[in-house]
Amino acid sequence: MRLLAALSLAGCLYAASGPESFEQKVRPVLVKRCYACHTAMKAAGLRLDSRAAILVGGKSGPAIVPGNAEKSLLIQVIRAHKMPPGAPLDPSEIASIETWVSDGAQWPDAPSGKSGDLWSAGPLRKPNVSSIDQAVEKGLRAKGLTANAKADKRTLLRRMSFDLTGLPSTTQEMGAFLTDPSPRALETVVDRLLASPHFGERWARHWLDVARFGEDDFTGTAVKPYPNAWRYRDWVVVAFNQDMPYDKFLQAQIAGDQMEGARDQYLGGLGLFGVGPWYFGISQPSQARADERHDRIDVVTRGMLGLTVACARCHDHKYDPIPTKDYYALSGIFASVQYKEYPLAPADEVAKWTGANQEVEALGAKINKFLDQQSDQLAEIFSTRVADYLPAAWKKMRGVKVDGFDEELLNRWVAYLKKTEDNHPYLQQWRAAASGDDENEVRRQSVLVESQITAIVTEKKKLDEENREFVAKNKKPKPGRDYILPFGYRSESDFNPGAEIPTKSLERDKYVWYNWLFSGDKAILRPSRDKVERFLGGEWKTHLDDMRASLKMKKESLPPQYAYLHGIEDFQPVDMQVNLRGNPDALGEPVARGFLTALSNGDRQRFTQGSGRLELAKTVSAHPLARRVMANRIWLYLFGAGVVSTPSNLGVMGERPANPELLEYLAWKFEHNGLSVKQLIREIVLSKTYQSSTDGDATNEAKDPDNRLFWRANRKRLDAESLRDAILMTSGALDLKVGGESQPLKGSMRRTLYARLGRFEQDATMALFDFPNASVSNEQRVVTNVPLQKLFFLNSAFVLDQAKTFAALLKPLESPAAQIQNAYQRAYGRSPSPNEIALAKQFLNSAGSQALEQYAQVLLGSNEFAFVD
């Protein structure tokens, strides 16, 4: 009876089982519950990812008989709950599949008819609707939903201001709009916001999330900043403000140095790769370079094409038609490039600075080498006095004053010996003696420890010499892939040269003991560079002083470095070999550089011009998938939810659009408007759909609780940048200068976009409000709601300071009523209600001398301030 009821329900929902029904009711079930086993794995010989595969079936024969659900093996299996593993399918899901089979098992081809399972990859089709609202209304009618009424003018202006510029509207802008009777008043506002220089700032930040923009990298020993990374950020701002056609925008970031025409206009886009992430010496060179290529492939394919190609690094993609060879076809492109800095100064200025800086660096390295040599020699000298220092340390630990020893070295011994948990084997007998009162026994054991150290030093020198000779004899010539990375590093020669050659080492206990004594700045016997100078005298001290004086003079005469762009350039073209199971040291057959087979009409497109970057750039930027991805992202940034809710995955495992016709209309219109981002935004924000209210509706909520069909606008919390910028603007402290070098966030009054953005030292406040990790491409911001966010408004020094500044703006007004009115207009763009005025007056009259500051803090910390309807 339950099954009959489900079938009856299915009959009501499906007037006919057409392509839309399949996409909404059947394919999602197959993807979610069946594809893990019945795609590439072919469990029981069965694939369920195409109509042809289902008709062929598996070991038990065809899976379905189109038009006859009763005779279809697939239906029998899911009815009996034999499949899928785990929880059985819901009766409504079973009913949907039965109806689909009974109606002929239509399986809509991918739009191109050639892209396998990639529903999103076919050519753009002219939709059967003529506007956004028509596409949305058509989808709503099909589900029995009704669109919300239009939001009020004040709500619309606040929404549009934040969506288009990331800033609240001013009191003057709000007043002018609310009193403008023109039927074109809203269009005037939209055109003003699109023309604002702050438009580019807002929309650049969206792209920088996708581009995993950061301004530093970890080299393996330290975090180092990219001094000109901000120029890439500013390039993106300018590109959006100038409404650079989207295909050119993408091409510039992959191959701006090779584009025809205004090369200088496109060169800054290379910062997408120039500012990393790079992986330097954090792993062996082969692994580090493989990880770099993986990052490039991921940001291009997920960020620009909405495909998870990086999943094919170790094996064929489990769900999308992307074989491992396709991954390495792309990998070869990025293996054929190296880092490059593009100067923004005349060649003679660059040459002059470069020569002078090389002298500074060479002299600095010479000084460090000299100090290291003295430290090494002193460490060996001190190793011959261990028999004296250990008894002295023993006495000092017992409270006895000792003289005649170097205080720092003695204190190092004391600090180490107090670490009773580090009971090294070579000190066990000494510690046993030290626990008693026999000074002679302590001295005897100290002599034995010194002799052990001397023996270890002798053994270490012998091993080092043998290893040097062995490495020199067995070191293989470089294969010619030693290309440039940032900060002057090279991909091979600067990292563990000869590390692949097995060498001898001290036995473990000796190795650990040697490191404690001699290795690094914290070693017991080895003075660090900044401590060794006090031991130098005579000619050694004079030599060091002369070098330092010369270095100081050279540094003072060295002008600031010329400006440059971080980018990439072609290196020696190479075709990558497949890395078996993703291991860069286990190599399979080579794969020619090229594009994805599934997006190349089934035959992988080959790239032969240099690295292939320009060919890749043109191919990616011209593909319909790139249009769909960007159209969906634009909708996401305006509505808080995409037509496709997985904006960086439009493949098999990504969510399907609830309204496919809407996505197709957006992408088609984007293309036919010359790939103008501003034009598409303008059309969206002038639509009734965008201008609808956020009001709830019980009937609609029951049918579409997630608002996937956009019957209302979504209420959105301000992101971290807009929230901080709005606080500064409301207090009157915001510096609206556009562009320029990044600054530390703390103390800055500039827009948050211009804060220095570390990959490894993220600002705690930004992280608190869900700012994304700058190491990987981010498809959309998560929105959390945690107590610490409210505590920020109560306790943050930033909020308290801005509340004081806000209050200072209000104080000169003639009356509390005027202060309250002005405060509400600045914070919320509206007048306070009579009840709000009464409550505010009561608080201001009773809260003492800081009442106005506390009142301003309450307004800044309210939900109305942080959310946009």
Side-chain angles (χ1 to χ4, degrees), residues 86-253:
L89 295 182
D90 186 82
S92 63
E93 294 174 327
I94 296 173
S96 298
I97 297 173
E98 288 174 333
T99 302
W100 169 66
V101 172
S102 296
D103 288 348
Q106 296 183 54
W107 188 292
D109 288 332
S112 66
K114 297 176 181 177
S115 297
D117 301 319
L118 295 179
W119 62 269
S120 54
L124 296 177
R125 299 165 296 179
K126 186 174 182 179
N128 295 321
V129 293
S130 59
S131 70
I132 289 169
D133 291 328
Q134 191 177 1
V136 172
E137 288 166 5
K138 187 175 177 182
L140 294 178
R141 281 197 308 271
K143 298 300 180 186
L145 302 169
T146 55
N148 269 10
K150 187 176 182 178
D152 62 84
K153 290 183 73 173
R154 175 255 171 193
T155 297
L156 282 179
L157 182 58
R158 192 165 188 268
R159 182 189 301 173
M160 287 181 173
S161 294
F162 276 113
D163 281 349
L164 270 59
T165 68
L167 296 169
S169 52
T170 66
T171 302
Q172 295 76 17
E173 289 166 349
M174 183 65 74
F177 177 58
L178 294 179
T179 56
D180 187 349
S182 169
R184 295 180 58 84
L186 201 59
E187 291 184 52
T188 301
V189 165
V190 172
D191 291 337
R192 171 178 62 80
L193 294 173
L194 289 171
S196 167
H198 306 308
F199 168 84
E201 293 175 319
R202 173 61 171 169
W203 284 78
R205 185 56 258 178
H206 291 317
W207 179 255
L208 294 174
D209 281 7
V210 177
R212 83 278 181 262
F213 172 68
E215 299 185 72
D216 62 30
D217 255 333
F218 182 64
T219 64
T221 57
V223 174
K224 298 194 72 169
Y226 293 108
N228 287 269
W230 59 272
R231 297 184 187 278
Y232 170 67
R233 179 206 63 212
D234 280 5
W235 179 86
V236 178
V237 172
V238 171
F240 276 105
N241 274 335
Q242 294 180 348
D243 201 18
M244 181 182 289
Y246 185 62
D247 56 346
K248 299 298 183 186
F249 178 73
L250 294 185
Q251 290 172 26
Q253 294 175 86

Side-chain angles (χ1 to χ4, degrees), residues 4-16 91-92 94-99:
L4 287 173
L7 285 170
S8 177
L9 173 61
C12 296
L13 292 175
Y14 286 72
S92 63
I94 296 173
S96 298
I97 297 173
E98 288 174 333
T99 302

Side-chain angles (χ1 to χ4, degrees), residues 258 329 332-333 336 570-575 591-595 604-616 619:
Q258 299 177 2
I333 297 168
S336 303
D570 276 11
F571 188 54
Q572 303 161 2
V574 62
D575 289 335
V591 183
R593 300 185 304 284
F595 198 47
R604 187 184 306 115
Q605 183 179 347
R606 300 289 180 87
F607 295 153
T608 59
Q609 300 172 15
S611 66
R613 272 190 303 128
L614 183 59
E615 294 163 282
L616 175 67
T619 303

Side-chain angles (χ1 to χ4, degrees), residues 676-730:
S676 164
V677 170
K678 285 189 176 183
Q679 281 288 91
L680 184 57
I681 291 173
R682 188 179 192 276
E683 180 169 351
I684 292 173
V685 299
L686 288 175
S687 69
K688 289 193 301 182
T689 303
Y690 175 84
Q691 294 174 28
S692 65
S693 75
T694 58
D695 295 341
D697 179 278
T699 302
N700 286 351
E701 292 281 359
K703 296 178 180 178
D704 184 19
D706 296 326
N707 192 31
R708 298 298 302 129
L709 293 169
F710 303 101
W711 51 269
R712 59 171 168 81
N714 291 313
R715 195 177 197 218
K716 295 179 291 185
R717 194 193 73 191
L718 295 177
D719 58 27
E721 300 95 321
S722 292
L723 186 58
R724 180 180 177 276
D725 294 350
I727 291 172
L728 288 171
M729 192 164 181
T730 302

